Amino acid sequence: MKALTPKQQIALHKKIASQTAFLKVLKENNIPLPIAEYEFHPTRKWRFDYYWQQNKFALEVEGGVWTGGRHTRGTGFIKDMEKYNSATIMGFRIIRTVPNELTSDTTIRMIKQLINI
């Protein structure tokens, strides 16, 4: 396994901190905990960031929005469209957010609506 660069290490630490804060907010709001990094497609290695299996609902966190990350560059954007369109055809419901909105009242309210709390 290849060692992470310092930049990758920082990104990983931020992601872990963000996940921990998100799970804490879900617990505080009595929202069932999702499956993280759920592989949903039978032949592709596509994953949802968070998935509530009982509701067939996924939450995707789109990073790099303001820094020209993968999700906002041409190829990455098109690949995300393919992933989301395939997921929709398969019957999944998806909402998208950005990292700094993950624990916001708006995101929590949308999750509650989609899992009928």
Side-chain angles (χ1 to χ4, degrees):
M1 181 179 223
K2 191 171 153 184
L4 297 177
T5 66
K7 187 176 180 179
Q8 290 171 324
Q9 289 176 1
I10 291 168
L12 179 61
H13 287 291
K14 284 182 181 180
K15 183 175 181 174
I16 291 168
S18 177
Q19 268 188 339
T20 302
F22 179 57
L23 296 176
K24 181 180 180 219
V25 169
L26 292 179
K27 286 179 184 177
E28 290 169 353
N29 283 274
N30 297 312
I31 296 172
L33 297 181
I35 300 167
E37 298 296 325
Y38 178 78
E39 194 169 315
F40 71 90
H41 197 275
T43 60
R44 304 290 299 263
K45 293 188 181 198
W46 287 328
R47 290 184 168 91
F48 293 134
D49 293 323
Y50 299 100
Y51 178 62
W52 284 263
Q53 192 167 18
Q54 65 274 21
N55 304 93
K56 208 168 182 181
F57 154 65
L59 173 66
E60 284 285 284
V61 184
E62 307 292 356
V65 173
W66 304 110
T67 60
R70 187 193 87 67
H71 298 287
T72 61
R73 291 192 307 260
T75 301
F77 185 84
I78 290 169
K79 286 182 179 182
D80 281 349
M81 285 176 38
E82 180 185 4
K83 172 183 170 180
Y84 297 141
N85 289 342
S86 293
T88 300
I89 290 166
M90 294 171 68
F92 293 101
R93 296 179 299 163
I94 304 164
I95 60 171
R96 298 165 62 195
T97 191
V98 292
N100 64 333
E101 290 291 314
L102 184 58
T103 59
S104 72
D105 290 341
T106 301
T107 300
I108 298 304
R109 191 171 35 257
M110 286 189 293
I111 292 169
K112 285 182 172 183
Q113 288 174 332
L114 282 165
I115 61 173
N116 302 314
I117 290 183

